[in-house]
Amino acid sequence: MTDDLKISVIDHPLVQHKLTLMRMEETGTKDFRELLEEISMLMAYEITRDLPLVDVSINTPVAKCSSKTLNGKKMGLIPILRAGLGMVDGIVKLIPTIKIGHVGMYRDPKTLKPVEYYCKLPTDVAERTLIVIDPMLATGGSAAAALSLLKEKGAKHIIYLCLVSAPEGIRAINEMHPDIKIYTASIDEKLNENGYIVPGLGDAGDRLFGTL
Ligand code: PRP
Ligand code: URA
């Protein structure tokens, strides 16, 4: 039952096609890395469709006219290390002026609890719309801890973007951070006994960096 989940699924055909390629076990590190960059760009395009615009007056070579521009609200991109790093370049290509903060979080393989090991953020997080990125939302422990940390540092407006999510993780974020809008490319079936998403795509960090 996933009807109770508060999450937006990005079902664009290009996103779904690339996700299928990423899931395949025969997809190697080079292709996995390229696909993650491409899919992140496509997902960022979708999640930014509601960004506010303002009218500006400009001169084209032909005439003066009124045209639209982003209203200048500052943005921040927060990859959760390591695997979130693989989503940075695709998004930066779309939003080149975005500031980047890093949150280091790994999941203890025995307890499945998140362990924080690094945090470096833009100084003005309170004034920015932050996009937190991580390919995998499994138990939700890492995401919940990263979101709490960002709120402690003053962040007020946060969007969470992942590639593959499990119902357990979505529920956890919905409960702990009901104010956070979550986007994903897929809600998978479940977690297995080791906390891996089924069917998922395996260990995203290891596949991205070739540390399998
Ligand atoms: C993975 C993934 C998420 C986390 C998800 O990172 O990138 O951060 O697991 O699991 P959770 O929802 O149960 O917390 P991992 O801990 O493997 O670290 P890595 O990115 O350094 O490989
Ligand atoms: N982290 C991953 O990289 N993959 C999973 O399936 C779960 C957590």
Side-chain angles (χ1 to χ4, degrees):
M1 244 310 260
T2 55
D3 290 354
D4 60 314
L5 303 177
K6 258 184 38 200
I7 188 163
S8 298
V9 178
I10 299 173
D11 58 2
H12 192 290
L14 289 174
V15 170
Q16 295 302 318
H17 177 81
K18 288 177 193 296
L19 175 57
T20 299
L21 297 175
M22 292 182 74
R23 287 187 193 275
M24 291 162 63
E25 62 181 341
E26 60 268 37
T27 299
T29 293
K30 175 180 177 290
D31 289 337
F32 189 91
R33 195 178 286 150
E34 288 171 5
L35 286 162
L36 183 56
E37 179 177 335
E38 291 163 7
I39 207 167
S40 303
M41 185 191 285
L42 293 168
M43 292 178 82
Y45 181 76
E46 288 285 328
I47 70 170
T48 50
R49 65 169 59 246
D50 295 328
L51 284 183
L53 292 168
V54 284
D55 290 317
V56 287
S57 177
I58 59 162
N59 294 303
T60 77
V62 178
K64 186 176 168 118
C65 70
S66 172
S67 196
K68 308 273 182 209
T69 184
L70 291 170
N71 90 342
K73 178 125 179 83
K74 298 194 272 186
M75 301 191 72
L77 189 61
I78 314 290
I80 302 181
L81 309 180
R82 285 177 302 168
L85 287 175
M87 300 175 72
V88 169
D89 288 354
I91 298 177
V92 167
K93 281 195 178 127
L94 274 192
I95 314 171
T97 57
I98 199 164
K99 293 278 192 290
I100 304 173
H102 294 86
V103 172
M105 209 56 90
Y106 73 87
R107 196 170 72 150
D108 183 288
K110 288 213 177 68
T111 64
L112 300 184
K113 297 278 177 248
V115 182
E116 184 202 323
Y117 61 91
Y118 189 75
C119 179
K120 183 78 182 175
L121 302 174
T123 48
D124 53 356
V125 281
E127 289 136 48
R128 293 183 181 272
T129 296
L130 303 181
I131 308 175
V132 176
I133 47 176
D134 190 332
M136 309 306 279
L137 178 62
T139 64
S142 307
L147 294 169
S148 297
L149 180 64
L150 291 171
K151 287 178 179 175
E152 274 163 34
K153 303 276 181 190
K156 301 210 164 40
H157 186 214
I158 310 175
I159 299 166
Y160 179 82
L161 173 64
C162 63
L163 195 55
V164 181
S165 53
E168 294 87 335
I170 302 166
R171 243 174 232 120
I173 303 302
N174 285 169
E175 272 164 32
M176 279 182 262
H177 297 283
D179 55 313
I180 305 292
K181 176 129 188 154
I182 314 175
Y183 292 89
T184 190
S186 176
I187 305 173
D188 277 16
E189 197 187 320
K190 59 176 183 182
L191 296 177
N192 69 13
E193 59 286 3
N194 300 317
Y196 275 82
I197 301 176
V198 181
L201 49 72
D203 189 305
D206 282 345
R207 292 193 67 186
L208 176 66
F209 292 107
T211 48
L212 287 165

